Amino acid sequence: MHTLRHIFNRQKKALFFLLALFVIGWAFSAFKPVFGGLILGSLFGLYNFYILVRRMERFDQNISEGKATKSIGGTALRFGSGVAAAAIALSMPEKFDLIGTVIGLMIPYVLLLVDRIVVHVKHFN
């Protein structure tokens, strides 16, 4: 069983690879706003995923120690960072594409789904 931190580190490596591809696409293509939006959204998506991992680790630690758990603000913080990414994209449409930003926000979760499928297939074959 992989720990949540191990999964996050693996996701971070994959996302940094994708970010490098997005930067290359931004530098060498005519679609600078699209790649800029993908970069912006991916960075905010990674931040959202980090918040999720940190909250779940704290929740797990409190449960294992028998403490009362408080789960306040995690969803609001992730939602707020998504709104901030969209606001940046809307305020600078010449640099960031809104659709690219939204797709970039979802990339860490898509990578997580693909990773879980790969691990599941490897484990049960």
Side-chain angles (χ1 to χ4, degrees):
M1 182 77 180
H2 298 287
T3 65
L4 195 56
R5 183 57 62 175
H6 179 75
I7 293 168
F8 174 70
N9 288 335
R10 191 169 48 228
Q11 293 292 95
K12 191 169 52 170
K13 288 176 190 174
L15 192 59
F16 284 154
F17 177 76
L18 275 177
L19 280 170
L21 291 177
F22 294 158
V23 167
I24 291 170
W26 177 83
F28 297 113
S29 78
F31 302 107
K32 288 191 186 295
V34 173
F35 283 107
L38 286 170
I39 292 167
L40 178 69
S42 295
L43 289 173
F44 274 91
L46 180 63
Y47 173 69
N48 284 345
F49 193 56
Y50 170 73
I51 292 170
L52 183 66
V53 168
R54 189 182 65 193
R55 296 272 179 169
M56 288 186 68
E57 284 177 343
R58 188 177 304 146
F59 179 79
D60 186 39
Q61 182 181 7
N62 287 342
I63 291 294
S64 65
E65 293 174 357
K67 294 181 181 176
T69 60
K70 290 187 266 184
S71 182
I72 300 172
T75 301
L77 193 58
R78 290 192 310 273
F79 183 75
S81 73
V83 169
I88 292 170
L90 284 173
S91 68
M92 293 186 276
E94 67 281 352
K95 298 202 182 286
F96 303 109
D97 180 49
L98 180 63
I99 302 299
T101 303
V102 171
I103 291 170
L105 278 168
M106 295 298 113
I107 285 176
Y109 301 104
V110 171
L111 285 176
L112 181 63
L113 177 66
V114 169
D115 182 56
R116 293 291 88 200
I117 291 171
V118 167
V119 168
H120 184 74
V121 166
K122 281 183 180 178
H123 182 69
F124 290 109
N125 282 338

